[in-house]
Amino acid sequence: MRIAARLHHRRARPVLVRHRRRALVGLAGVLALAAVVALHWLTADLPAPGALITRAASDATKIYDRRGRLLFEVLDPRAGRRTRVALADVAPVLREAVIAVEDAGFYRNPGVEARGIVRAAWQMLRAGRVVSGGSTITQQLARAVLLSDDERGRRSLLRKLRESVLAVRITAAYDKDTILELYLNEVYFGQLAYGVEAASETYFGVHARDLDLAQAALLAGLIQSPAAYNPLVDWNAAKARQDVVLGRLVAEGKATRADADLARSERLSLSAGDASLAAPHFTSYVRALLEQRYGADAVARGGLQVVTTLDLDVQHAAETAVRDQMADLNTRRAGRPDYDAHDAALVAVDPASGDIVAMVGSADYFDAAIDGAVNVALAHRQPGSAIKPITYATAFDTERWGFQPVQGGDDPAHPRLPFTPATVLSDVPTTFRSREGEPYRPQNYDRTWHGPISLRRALATSSNLVAVKVLDAVGVDAMIDTAQALGITTFVDRERYGLALTLGGGEVTLLDLTAAYAGLAARGRRVTPRAILAVLDGPTFAAHPDNADWPGVRDAPAGPQAVPEPVAALITDILSDDLARLPAFGEHSVLELDRPAAAKTGTTTDFRDNWTVGYTPDLAAGVWVGNADNTPMEHTSGITGAGPIWHAFMTAALRGHPARAFPGSPDVVSVTVCESTGLRPTTDCQRPRTERVIRGTEPTADDWSYRAMDIDAVTGARWSADCSGHRVARVFRLLPPDAQAWGREQGILGPPERTCGGRGVVDVVARGSSAGAGRAGLGVADPAV
């Protein structure tokens, strides 16, 4: 039986094999037919590589101010700047830079990179959407020129496959140099510049053949995202992208490290662009926002009507204030120094909505000598003392620190928190330790020391030393928390910052800092700057579907509470106190308006930046003066450089608007304190005054700094039983230990140290500190001591 079965199996095997082969052949035929059908479906309507491309005309995108006045008309791509050039007329460094960063295997691949397609497909399968491109130069050319507007905007695997088929066909039809030439004449670089020749002229005012390595690397970096890396909008992002391109050139062996380093350090002068722009920096900023959201093609071809937050009347007031002050600073007069200050920027924000109502990015957008096309309002610059209010807001925050001392109370090394405007610290030479353990000895701007002063006076007169003491008490992290809550976006790497942060040691943007001050004007709520009110379709201004996605369209919702309302009220009260800042700024300074106004200046120690930022209940404005290339100025501070611009602008912008007082806070109360300690005045206090503090932080201890003592009228010695002269009472001032050396230099004489009998008397401030809850005591010492 087994033998018969084996024989039957051997006879049946060829039959099974034949059936399997037939099945496989049939399956292969079905699959081949399916592949042919799929390929036909995928490619049937694709244009031929040599097709003549025509583009349908559409209404131009128009950008308006908030009242419907035209600021700029975005031209259709057919009217955009484009000058076609031969590949031989493109600088080799630009060709190499584009290939290195966009498609390193361009001259080797068949139009597609298999690895890029597989990676993109795998990422799409995992994420459920297209995550990365992986497009070669040829694929980008196919997408830009041969695909329809609708298909070009889709991020789908189908579109990727269709552009890949086109790329293979293009490679078969044209040599690589021709493809590269077509690409370099089609690719978009932002600022309405299509192709390398238009981009070279737009950004640098030179022909594409004359570009150097630094310029070529910056332009090549724009291709990935002209909106994100636009050097006229975000110089820091453009430079970071340039660095990536230079790194790729070095990796591909197309540039040496030395050449790349030289290119990184090269100072690039940008061209001004289109002279028809109104509010040019703001318009460029808005356009970049639109391109980031909708894509450059949609903005150029979409016929969008964009209503912005800008008020053209307020913008003109800003431009006039900047122009007049810069002309004055650069007018030579006998006996006046050359300030060497050539650039300025101004931003104005409505505290109620965050609307940017004015933005001047430079003193002259069209002056290449000052890099006028660079929008300094968005650049990272050191704010000097203009950042100090954020430090003090942190120190006054009772919600953070509670209402009881959290750090040792009266110990001079660990003063009590929260501070109040009445708190007194000693403005005297002090050495701190940096994060690295190095000694840090801050100096005041006026190079003098002022002894024990209240935090109100310290902020109003901009004491550097006291600001560092306050930051030392609250901690750098706490200050950064407050800054970020108010909208400062640049304090990212906390490990970089130390106590110098409160003196401007961390860079900010003028827009961020102005919005942070607007937050103080808005009772401590975060104010998020916005530039677009609505995006509309067509001449009828029908609402665009995407309007709902723009934050705060039309009516801006109130932002989150960044600092407690009473804290914001205290900072505003100090910054609007003309009497408190009088010792530093004199009477009727440029910080004083015809209405209640809060303001603060800032000047960096190397005179590279000076600032004035301030607000009324209706308007916040920030002004920067300096040089875009970071060269230092001479004899120019925030009060003399930026201050006059701020004063002139605020006066003009608010003309005709009723003056309004700052709203108070029910949690801020008035108390009487002794000036020298911030404690409750005794009958001996020589300088009582009224101060504003948050309810619950009123001083509970009595002043110890003024003490009435009996002395001998003849000898001036401390009165004792063996004195023979008349006994008279005099009030003496006692200083905390850390200010006693300063007091001796200032001629502040304490009480006599000996009695008529020659015994020594020592006045002791028991644990007394310049933070102030200590008490003075008396002790008698042996004469030999």
Side-chain angles (χ1 to χ4, degrees):
M1 292 293 294
R2 288 180 179 177
I3 294 173
R6 286 176 183 172
L7 289 172
H8 175 76
H9 179 71
R10 287 175 181 172
R11 293 191 192 102
R13 184 180 300 170
V15 176
L16 289 173
V17 170
R18 285 195 298 273
H19 282 305
R20 286 175 181 171
R21 285 175 180 170
R22 289 173 184 169
L24 289 174
V25 170
L27 178 60
V30 171
L31 291 176
L33 180 61
V36 170
V37 171
L39 184 62
H40 178 76
W41 172 76
L42 180 68
T43 64
D45 61 340
L46 286 178
L52 179 64
I53 305 304
T54 59
R55 295 180 174 88
S58 63
D59 291 337
T61 291
K62 296 180 180 179
I63 299 175
Y64 299 90
D65 88 332
R66 66 191 305 116
R67 305 183 194 281
R69 291 171 289 191
L70 184 64
L71 298 175
F72 183 64
E73 185 173 354
V74 181
L75 298 177
D76 183 274
R78 292 171 301 175
R81 302 181 196 90
R82 189 199 307 270
T83 303
R84 296 188 180 276
V85 292
L87 191 62
D89 289 325
V90 179
V93 288
L94 179 57
R95 286 180 277 171
E96 291 164 354
V98 169
I99 292 172
V101 76
E102 292 296 322
D103 183 5
F106 171 71
Y107 277 102
R108 300 186 299 272
N109 64 50
V112 295
E113 284 283 1
R115 286 179 299 179
I117 294 176
V118 171
R119 181 178 67 251
W122 172 245
Q123 290 176 342
M124 194 204 83
L125 289 173
R126 295 185 64 186
R129 58 185 176 84
V130 175
V131 176
S132 65
S135 296
T136 63
I137 283 176
T138 316
Q139 286 175 273
Q140 293 179 49
L141 177 63
R143 179 169 66 246
V145 177
L146 297 180
L147 293 183
S148 67
D149 292 349
D150 179 63
E151 186 172 9
R152 189 184 303 121
R154 296 182 201 149
R155 291 178 63 85
S156 66
L157 183 59
L158 176 61
R159 190 215 73 189
K160 200 75 177 172
L161 292 172
R162 283 165 61 82
E163 81 178 30
S164 298
V165 171
L166 280 173
V168 172
R169 290 180 176 179
I170 290 171
T171 304
Y174 300 101
D175 63 74
K176 287 289 187 176
D177 284 351
T178 301
I179 294 171
L180 183 60
E181 180 179 306
L182 287 168
Y183 175 80
L184 292 176
N185 280 294
E186 288 290 340
V187 68
Y188 182 58
F189 289 88
Q191 296 295 118
L192 274 184
Y194 289 83
V196 293
E197 181 71 4
S200 301
E201 293 175 346
T202 296
Y203 289 103
F204 299 114
V206 301
H207 294 295
R209 63 175 176 268
D210 298 324
L211 292 169
D212 65 17
L213 178 59
Q215 295 167 328
L218 189 139
L219 288 185
L222 290 175
I223 295 173
Q224 184 182 82
S225 178
Y229 301 122
N230 187 337
L232 303 179
V233 174
D234 192 337
W235 177 249
N236 297 288
K239 285 293 290 181
R241 181 64 178 163
Q242 179 202 47
D243 188 62
V244 171
V245 176
L246 291 170
R248 291 297 307 149
L249 283 166
V250 172
E252 292 295 321
K254 300 299 183 180
T256 66
R257 292 189 182 278
D259 288 339
D261 290 341
L262 192 62
R264 288 187 185 95
S265 63
E266 180 179 331
R267 180 181 176 275
L268 295 176
S269 294
L270 297 177
S271 179
D274 192 335
S276 65
L277 288 170
H281 292 101
F282 177 78
T283 304
S284 295
Y285 174 59
V286 167
R287 181 167 180 173
L289 294 176
L290 293 169
E291 290 181 356
Q292 286 175 355
R293 182 171 185 82
Y294 300 118
D297 286 341
V299 173
R301 302 177 184 180
L304 303 177
Q305 310 295 295
V306 183
V307 182
T308 71
T309 59
L310 193 87
D311 187 318
L312 201 52
D313 295 332
V314 179
Q315 175 73 15
H316 288 158
E319 291 169 351
T320 299
V322 169
R323 182 176 60 249
D324 290 350
Q325 169 65 353
M326 297 314 295
D328 182 71
L329 286 177
N330 287 281
T331 298
R332 298 292 182 90
R333 296 192 182 104
R336 198 173 79 161
D338 180 3
Y339 296 111
D340 200 18
H342 305 291
D343 205 2
L346 185 153
V347 169
V349 173
D350 180 352
S353 61
D355 289 354
I356 303 170
V357 294
M359 177 184 284
V360 180
S362 73
D364 186 348
Y365 181 84
F366 305 104
D367 187 352
I370 64 168
D371 293 327
V374 175
N375 190 348
V376 187
L378 304 178
H380 294 194
R381 310 290 303 202
Q382 290 195 345
S385 295
I387 201 70
K388 286 176 182 174
I390 294 178
T391 303
Y392 285 84
T394 308
F396 295 162
D397 190 348
T398 53
E399 292 184 12
R400 176 185 291 273
W401 308 116
F403 290 90
Q404 300 297 322
V406 298
Q407 288 194 36
D410 302 336
D411 185 349
H414 301 285
R416 54 195 300 135
L417 290 168
F419 289 151
T420 76
T423 300
V424 172
L425 298 178
S426 290
D427 183 355
V428 295
T430 306
T431 300
F432 302 86
R433 289 288 170 186
S434 69
R435 189 188 297 271
E436 296 76 22
E438 298 294 324
Y440 173 51
R441 303 181 183 91
Q443 294 287 327
N444 285 325
Y445 179 78
D446 60 7
R447 302 295 177 180
T448 60
W449 306 105
H450 308 283
I453 58 174
S454 68
L455 296 195
R456 172 178 290 273
R457 180 183 164 194
L459 176 55
T461 60
S462 205
S463 163
N464 286 346
L465 191 284
V466 172
V468 174
K469 281 190 173 182
V470 173
L471 181 57
D472 191 42
V474 303
V476 172
D477 282 334
M479 179 196 167
I480 292 177
D481 289 343
T482 304
Q484 291 178 342
L486 283 167
I488 301 295
T489 60
T490 49
F491 295 166
V492 178
D493 184 2
R494 295 181 178 230
E495 294 301 314
R496 289 181 50 208
Y497 304 116
L499 296 179
L501 183 62
T502 191
L503 306 184
E507 294 179 334
V508 300
T509 69
L510 179 61
L511 180 59
D512 277 0
L513 190 60
T514 303
Y517 275 65
L520 298 174
R523 302 188 182 189
R525 290 193 174 275
R526 176 165 179 166
V527 172
T528 301
R530 67 173 180 174
I532 297 174
L533 287 176
V535 180
L536 312 168
D537 278 332
T540 60
F541 285 88
H544 191 280
D546 274 354
N547 281 349
D549 295 334
W550 284 102
V553 167
R554 296 299 186 191
D555 296 321
Q561 199 71 41
V563 297
E565 181 182 1
V567 171
L570 285 183
I571 298 296
T572 297
D573 192 61
I574 295 172
L575 296 184
S576 60
D577 189 342
D578 292 319
L579 186 62
R581 61 173 166 246
L582 188 147
F585 298 101
E587 290 186 294
H588 307 303
S589 74
V590 294
L591 303 184
E592 185 178 343
L593 300 181
D594 60 354
R595 64 192 66 220
K600 182 74 185 72
T601 62
T603 306
T604 55
T605 54
D606 52 11
F607 294 97
R608 297 180 192 276
D609 306 89
N610 71 61
W611 309 65
T612 298
V613 191
Y615 51 92
T616 69
D618 303 300
L619 186 65
V623 178
W624 167 89
V625 168
N627 295 302
D629 63 2
N630 215 33
T631 56
M633 298 169 285
E634 298 288 341
H635 310 288
T636 309
S637 67
I639 197 68
T640 59
I645 298 175
W646 182 85
H647 180 92
F649 167 72
M650 294 292 281
T651 300
L654 294 169
R655 187 173 292 122
H657 294 262
R660 290 204 298 147
F662 288 109
S665 169
D667 292 320
V668 174
V669 297
S670 296
V671 295
T672 302
V673 300
C674 194
E675 173 84 22
S676 54
T677 58
L679 303 178
R680 296 190 307 186
T682 65
T683 55
D684 295 332
C685 177
Q686 301 292 290
R687 301 185 66 182
R689 68 175 179 87
T690 300
E691 184 54 273
R692 305 277 287 166
V693 300
I694 296 174
R695 192 186 305 276
T697 64
E698 301 94 327
T700 57
D702 293 334
D703 173 65
W704 47 262
S705 64
Y706 287 103
R707 184 63 56 84
M709 300 177 186
D710 293 334
I711 63 169
D712 182 79
V714 176
T715 64
R718 186 76 60 84
W719 178 264
S720 61
D722 47 4
C723 291
S724 57
H726 293 290
R727 182 174 183 171
V728 295
R730 284 185 56 189
V731 176
F732 293 91
R733 182 178 177 186
L734 302 177
L735 294 171
D738 61 354
Q740 288 173 2
W742 170 85
R744 288 190 292 270
E745 293 176 358
Q746 301 299 313
I748 300 176
L749 302 178
E753 298 178 353
R754 296 186 180 278
T755 66
C756 294
R759 290 187 300 163
V761 181
V762 179
D763 295 292
V764 181
V765 180
R767 300 199 63 169
S769 78
S770 56
R775 296 176 178 273
L778 301 178
V780 179
D782 187 272
V785 176

